[in-house]
PDB file of all heavy atoms in Angstrom:
ATOM      1  N   GLN B 463      23.536  10.703 -37.919  1.00  0.00           N
ATOM      2  CA  GLN B 463      22.961   9.877 -36.889  1.00  0.00           C
ATOM      3  C   GLN B 463      22.935  10.718 -35.555  1.00  0.00           C
ATOM      4  O   GLN B 463      23.687  11.668 -35.385  1.00  0.00           O
ATOM      5  CB  GLN B 463      23.887   8.701 -36.738  1.00  0.00           C
ATOM      6  CG  GLN B 463      23.853   7.761 -37.892  1.00  0.00           C
ATOM      7  CD  GLN B 463      23.611   6.370 -37.522  1.00  0.00           C
ATOM      8  OE1 GLN B 463      24.219   5.831 -36.656  1.00  0.00           O
ATOM      9  NE2 GLN B 463      22.754   5.730 -38.287  1.00  0.00           N
ATOM     10  N   VAL B 464      22.049  10.272 -34.731  1.00  0.00           N
ATOM     11  CA  VAL B 464      21.983  10.877 -33.413  1.00  0.00           C
ATOM     12  C   VAL B 464      21.624   9.710 -32.382  1.00  0.00           C
ATOM     13  O   VAL B 464      20.889   8.776 -32.735  1.00  0.00           O
ATOM     14  CB  VAL B 464      20.884  11.981 -33.400  1.00  0.00           C
ATOM     15  CG1 VAL B 464      19.468  11.361 -33.655  1.00  0.00           C
ATOM     16  CG2 VAL B 464      20.846  12.697 -32.105  1.00  0.00           C
ATOM     17  N   ALA B 465      22.232   9.785 -31.200  1.00  0.00           N
ATOM     18  CA  ALA B 465      21.994   8.788 -30.180  1.00  0.00           C
ATOM     19  C   ALA B 465      20.615   9.073 -29.577  1.00  0.00           C
ATOM     20  O   ALA B 465      20.231  10.192 -29.306  1.00  0.00           O
ATOM     21  CB  ALA B 465      23.071   8.795 -29.166  1.00  0.00           C
ATOM     22  N   THR B 466      19.925   7.991 -29.275  1.00  0.00           N
ATOM     23  CA  THR B 466      18.680   8.200 -28.622  1.00  0.00           C
ATOM     24  C   THR B 466      18.451   7.129 -27.513  1.00  0.00           C
ATOM     25  O   THR B 466      18.909   6.040 -27.576  1.00  0.00           O
ATOM     26  CB  THR B 466      17.565   7.997 -29.716  1.00  0.00           C
ATOM     27  OG1 THR B 466      16.289   8.276 -29.110  1.00  0.00           O
ATOM     28  CG2 THR B 466      17.462   6.657 -30.369  1.00  0.00           C
ATOM     29  N   LYS B 467      17.802   7.561 -26.478  1.00  0.00           N
ATOM     30  CA  LYS B 467      17.586   6.693 -25.318  1.00  0.00           C
ATOM     31  C   LYS B 467      16.308   7.237 -24.529  1.00  0.00           C
ATOM     32  O   LYS B 467      15.947   8.409 -24.708  1.00  0.00           O
ATOM     33  CB  LYS B 467      18.786   6.687 -24.414  1.00  0.00           C
ATOM     34  CG  LYS B 467      19.097   8.048 -23.713  1.00  0.00           C
ATOM     35  CD  LYS B 467      20.240   7.947 -22.809  1.00  0.00           C
ATOM     36  CE  LYS B 467      19.926   7.254 -21.529  1.00  0.00           C
ATOM     37  NZ  LYS B 467      18.791   7.910 -20.739  1.00  0.00           N
ATOM     38  N   CYS B 468      15.860   6.314 -23.665  1.00  0.00           N
ATOM     39  CA  CYS B 468      14.752   6.728 -22.832  1.00  0.00           C
ATOM     40  C   CYS B 468      15.169   7.828 -21.922  1.00  0.00           C
ATOM     41  O   CYS B 468      16.233   7.769 -21.260  1.00  0.00           O
ATOM     42  CB  CYS B 468      14.235   5.493 -22.052  1.00  0.00           C
ATOM     43  SG  CYS B 468      13.149   5.906 -20.677  1.00  0.00           S
ATOM     44  N   ASP B 469      14.326   8.854 -21.787  1.00  0.00           N
ATOM     45  CA  ASP B 469      14.588   9.948 -20.866  1.00  0.00           C
ATOM     46  C   ASP B 469      13.532  10.084 -19.764  1.00  0.00           C
ATOM     47  O   ASP B 469      13.385  11.131 -19.163  1.00  0.00           O
ATOM     48  CB  ASP B 469      14.866  11.295 -21.597  1.00  0.00           C
ATOM     49  CG  ASP B 469      13.593  11.668 -22.464  1.00  0.00           C
ATOM     50  OD1 ASP B 469      12.600  10.871 -22.406  1.00  0.00           O
ATOM     51  OD2 ASP B 469      13.522  12.683 -23.060  1.00  0.00           O
ATOM     52  N   LEU B 470      12.833   9.046 -19.580  1.00  0.00           N
ATOM     53  CA  LEU B 470      11.653   9.066 -18.623  1.00  0.00           C
ATOM     54  C   LEU B 470      10.672  10.057 -18.964  1.00  0.00           C
ATOM     55  O   LEU B 470       9.928  10.571 -18.085  1.00  0.00           O
ATOM     56  CB  LEU B 470      12.121   9.181 -17.189  1.00  0.00           C
ATOM     57  CG  LEU B 470      12.981   8.034 -16.577  1.00  0.00           C
ATOM     58  CD1 LEU B 470      13.404   8.316 -15.211  1.00  0.00           C
ATOM     59  CD2 LEU B 470      12.225   6.743 -16.658  1.00  0.00           C
ATOM     60  N   CYS B 471      10.615  10.475 -20.270  1.00  0.00           N
ATOM     61  CA  CYS B 471       9.637  11.513 -20.705  1.00  0.00           C
ATOM     62  C   CYS B 471       9.820  12.794 -19.807  1.00  0.00           C
ATOM     63  O   CYS B 471       8.812  13.309 -19.307  1.00  0.00           O
ATOM     64  CB  CYS B 471       8.217  11.048 -20.699  1.00  0.00           C
ATOM     65  SG  CYS B 471       7.940   9.674 -21.796  1.00  0.00           S
ATOM     66  N   ILE B 472      11.050  13.216 -19.569  1.00  0.00           N
ATOM     67  CA  ILE B 472      11.352  14.285 -18.703  1.00  0.00           C
ATOM     68  C   ILE B 472      10.532  15.556 -19.188  1.00  0.00           C
ATOM     69  O   ILE B 472      10.428  15.808 -20.352  1.00  0.00           O
ATOM     70  CB  ILE B 472      12.875  14.523 -18.727  1.00  0.00           C
ATOM     71  CG1 ILE B 472      13.294  15.591 -17.647  1.00  0.00           C
ATOM     72  CG2 ILE B 472      13.368  15.039 -20.071  1.00  0.00           C
ATOM     73  CD1 ILE B 472      14.778  15.605 -17.367  1.00  0.00           C
ATOM     74  N   GLY B 473       9.874  16.191 -18.164  1.00  0.00           N
ATOM     75  CA  GLY B 473       9.155  17.355 -18.498  1.00  0.00           C
ATOM     76  C   GLY B 473       7.669  16.969 -18.797  1.00  0.00           C
ATOM     77  O   GLY B 473       6.792  17.855 -18.884  1.00  0.00           O
ATOM     78  N   ARG B 474       7.317  15.696 -18.873  1.00  0.00           N
ATOM     79  CA  ARG B 474       5.924  15.316 -19.155  1.00  0.00           C
ATOM     80  C   ARG B 474       5.262  15.155 -17.822  1.00  0.00           C
ATOM     81  O   ARG B 474       5.722  14.351 -16.951  1.00  0.00           O
ATOM     82  CB  ARG B 474       5.920  14.025 -19.899  1.00  0.00           C
ATOM     83  CG  ARG B 474       4.602  13.555 -20.388  1.00  0.00           C
ATOM     84  CD  ARG B 474       4.744  12.240 -21.262  1.00  0.00           C
ATOM     85  NE  ARG B 474       3.448  11.854 -21.789  1.00  0.00           N
ATOM     86  CZ  ARG B 474       2.589  11.063 -21.237  1.00  0.00           C
ATOM     87  NH1 ARG B 474       2.868  10.538 -20.015  1.00  0.00           N
ATOM     88  NH2 ARG B 474       1.445  10.749 -21.815  1.00  0.00           N
TER      89      ARG B 474
END
Side-chain angles (χ1 to χ4, degrees):
Chain B
Q463 297 229 312
V464 64
T466 183
K467 66 178 282 302
C468 165
D469 59 0
L470 293 179
C471 298
I472 192 167
R474 188 175 185 270

